[in-house]
Amino acid sequence: MSMIDALARGIARRRLARMRANAMAPRPAQQRLLARLVERMAATDFGRRHGLGSVQKVEDLASAVPLLDYAAMRPWWDRARAGEPNVTWQGRIRFFALSSGTTSGEKYLPVSDATIASNRRGGFDALVPHLVDPTAALFAGKLLFLGGSTQLRRHGDVWLGDNTGIMALHVPRCLRRWHAPDDRIRGMSSWEEKVAAAAAATAEVDLRMLAGVPSWIVLFGEAVLAHCRRHGRRAECLADVWPNLQLFVHGGVTYAPYAHRLRELIGRSIRLVDTYSASEGGMLAVQDEATSPAMLPLLDRGAVFEFVPTTELGAASPKRLAADRVEPGVDYAVALTTDSGLVSYLVGDVVRVTGVAPLRIVFAGRLAHTLNSFGEHVSGGELERAIAAAAQATGSVVEEFATATDFPVPGEPTGCHCYYVQFHRAPDDLTAFARELDATIARGNEDYATHRTFGLRAPKVEAVPAGTFLELLRRRGKVGGQHKVPRVLDEGWRADLLAVAVAR
């Protein structure tokens, strides 16, 4: 074990104990953080207009500020992006992150220097559950972070770019020696060229960790194996290339649909750490136990949480609960108040609380990725769990999928859900796959089960050719580390997908 690994282990043990203690009693950590944030925002234009100086506890936010979205905040952030100081956060904002835009148009989200510092610490938190293991030895090799380009675009006095690229630019120099790929590759603007270059470069190093969105890590891993085989190197799986690979830190999408394919690619068991992060709030939660997918919220970093029951969304005065007031088994929309000047901002994510002592959550999908054309209320998380269950039951392996709705038409008075699935290994019987999907959702969703008795016929599954979803993202200009396939397609996306599938 290197001296760096030994030092990291000691720090990680103390940090994990603090993360768990905060989750056992969320209020003190959130109150201290809120006080610091309010101090920096009270004298801003936004803070004065909303009386943030009188906010003393999380519950006070509900009377000071309504739940906000990007449309409500855009006029404020446009002013900050033009260089105006003290708009929603003290001082000037030097960086703006471009959102992935999966569910809406391009968005510019403020990234303050305080947020950059919080993200550095949150990045370490993602490693903590593995670093406490006595066998962990990450710093004897390289750590791969597959993120966006570090090449930013200047706009007056501010810089615009991918959030992961902004964060990569601010990795302390003393830590860059462990990072892969190198600065030249991280700066590439073409994602596909970057993946190819990173695959060639990292195939020759002692890689100890992978970090990235599962769907893109699959493509990266396949590129690494293809590179090795082209150069006459034996590489049945990634463990052949990197025998000391120990850890995969993932996030951005639910892991379950990709689990089987990634196990095949890696070739042996390694530690998996799920994370929940957002461009609007940085690292928000980390899986701390290998035996459970649930995550500890990071309650003392840069984001104060409000949890809004999804059943309350759209109400005139929806409930807004502090972290110590949530209940297990309930799905909540997440609103954040952060050290970039976001206040009670709905990020568009849904989480499910799995326990409260300590507080743990799982990512349950995006609000916009919900099938609800007939009142069935099927979340993105339910879709992903059902796909994983159907794959396991039929011995198939799914690479990617998306859904759409077929509405009633003359001669067919009921609608249905249509699943477009790209298989790595297809099932023998697509009908059996569809039956398992249907049964899995019905078992866990009473609204869906009820609608399946009238007005909603059995789902249908259509297999699409290999490469369909990658080409769909190319067509949409969404190829890159933070871009994901939307789980629920609108008619424009659906038309593009069908055109791509036919062309292939």
Side-chain angles (χ1 to χ4, degrees):
M1 184 204 314
S2 71
M3 184 171 66
I4 297 296
D5 280 301
L7 177 63
R9 180 164 302 117
I11 297 171
R13 284 173 176 164
R14 292 190 293 274
R15 177 56 187 162
L16 184 58
R18 173 49 52 195
M19 288 162 61
R20 288 174 171 165
N22 287 341
M24 286 295 294
R27 182 164 288 268
Q30 287 276 274
Q31 288 293 113
R32 288 191 295 269
L33 175 58
L34 180 63
R36 295 200 301 272
L37 298 182
V38 167
E39 184 179 7
R40 298 288 299 273
M41 288 189 282
T44 65
D45 191 13
F46 183 93
R48 287 191 301 270
R49 294 195 193 188
H50 291 87
L52 293 186
S54 64
V55 169
Q56 297 183 352
K57 56 185 185 296
V58 177
E59 289 79 2
D60 293 341
L61 289 169
S63 58
V65 183
L67 291 173
L68 300 170
D69 59 13
Y70 185 75
M73 292 304 301
R74 180 175 178 174
W76 299 92
W77 293 338
D78 282 351
R79 289 166 53 191
R81 189 154 55 95
E84 184 178 341
N86 304 315
V87 180
T88 64
W89 185 251
Q90 189 178 67
R92 295 182 189 273
I93 301 291
R94 297 188 299 140
F95 298 95
F96 279 79
L98 276 67
S99 79
S100 60
T102 305
T103 59
S104 63
E106 194 169 59
K107 297 188 292 187
Y108 298 91
L109 302 167
V111 180
S112 72
D113 291 346
T115 291
I116 291 169
S118 295
N119 270 270
R120 286 178 180 169
R121 294 188 287 267
F124 178 76
D125 288 344
L127 307 184
V128 159
H130 179 67
L131 291 176
V132 298
D133 188 324
T135 65
L138 293 182
F139 297 104
K142 294 285 189 178
L143 317 177
L144 179 130
F145 298 88
L146 198 60
S149 174
T150 55
Q151 293 295 319
L152 307 183
R153 184 171 82 245
R154 185 147 195 175
H155 177 81
D157 292 330
V158 304
W159 294 91
L160 312 174
D162 185 282
N163 188 59
T164 57
I166 293 171
M167 297 307 156
L169 281 174
H170 291 87
V171 172
R173 289 190 178 276
C174 62
L175 299 180
R176 291 183 186 178
R177 58 177 290 192
W178 288 287
H179 277 220
D182 61 27
D183 290 346
R184 178 188 66 83
I185 295 173
R186 285 202 299 272
M188 289 181 172
S189 57
S190 167
W191 178 254
E192 292 177 273
E193 290 179 8
K194 174 187 287 189
V195 168
T202 56
E204 311 303 324
V205 304
D206 178 13
L207 199 69
R208 304 295 179 98
M209 185 195 82
L210 294 167
V213 176
S215 53
W216 291 116
I217 292 295
V218 167
L219 294 176
F220 170 73
E222 290 172 342
V224 170
L225 296 181
H227 170 84
C228 290
R229 291 163 187 164
R230 283 196 303 271
H231 289 79
R233 184 174 170 186
R234 178 185 173 276
E236 297 298 322
C237 61
L238 295 180
D240 293 335
V241 182
W242 302 310
N244 295 314
L245 184 65
Q246 302 175 7
L247 175 65
F248 176 28
V249 177
H250 57 87
V253 296
T254 301
Y255 183 73
Y258 307 95
H260 195 287
R261 180 66 186 124
L262 281 161
R263 281 196 299 269
E264 289 184 340
L265 269 176
I266 294 169
R268 62 174 172 81
S269 177
I270 64 172
R271 178 65 187 266
L272 305 174
V273 174
D274 197 2
T275 62
Y276 168 41
S277 62
S279 296
E280 298 90 342
M283 189 66 67
L284 299 172
V286 172
Q287 177 189 2
D288 66 313
E289 294 182 337
T291 56
S292 169
M295 296 176 280
L296 294 173
L298 302 181
L299 299 165
D300 59 354
R301 288 309 190 198
V304 170
F305 292 82
E306 292 175 87
F307 295 91
V308 184
T310 54
T311 55
E312 294 272 327
L313 291 172
S317 298
K319 291 180 182 177
R320 295 161 59 174
L321 304 174
D324 62 329
R325 295 290 186 263
V326 296
E327 299 178 5
V330 178
D331 286 359
Y332 295 96
V334 177
L336 300 176
T337 297
T338 78
D339 52 10
S340 275
L342 283 67
V343 183
S344 298
Y345 184 90
L346 283 166
V347 297
D349 294 333
V350 178
V351 299
R352 177 169 297 163
V353 173
T354 62
V356 294
L359 175 61
R360 287 194 173 96
I361 61 175
V362 293
F363 180 73
R366 296 280 295 170
L367 286 170
H369 294 181
T370 298
L371 281 172
N372 192 33
S373 299
F374 309 102
E376 65 273 37
H377 300 101
V378 181
S379 71
E382 288 175 311
L383 296 172
E384 290 171 324
R385 289 190 291 272
I387 284 283
Q392 183 175 13
T394 59
S396 56
V397 178
V398 172
E399 288 192 330
E400 195 57 89
F401 81 97
T403 62
T405 299
D406 283 352
F407 291 94
V409 295
E412 180 53 78
T414 58
C416 78
H417 297 161
C418 185
Y419 291 76
Y420 299 99
V421 186
Q422 181 179 309
F423 291 99
H424 178 71
R425 183 169 64 244
D428 293 332
D429 184 356
L430 276 181
T431 303
F433 188 95
R435 279 199 304 269
E436 186 61 33
L437 271 176
D438 189 31
T440 299
I441 296 175
R443 281 195 297 270
N445 186 318
E446 186 176 342
D447 287 340
Y448 178 82
T450 299
H451 279 80
R452 281 285 288 111
T453 65
F454 69 92
L456 185 64
R457 65 184 189 273
K460 62 182 182 181
V461 175
E462 296 186 16
V464 300
T468 293
F469 282 98
L470 179 57
E471 184 58 36
L472 173 64
L473 291 175
R474 283 195 192 105
R475 181 174 291 208
R476 283 274 169 163
K478 301 294 184 184
V479 175
Q482 287 194 301
H483 295 294
K484 285 86 69 175
V485 172
R487 291 303 184 216
V488 178
L489 304 176
D490 63 24
E491 286 307 306
W493 275 86
R494 187 185 199 179
D496 282 352
L497 181 143
L498 292 174
V500 169
V502 168
R504 300 186 76 83

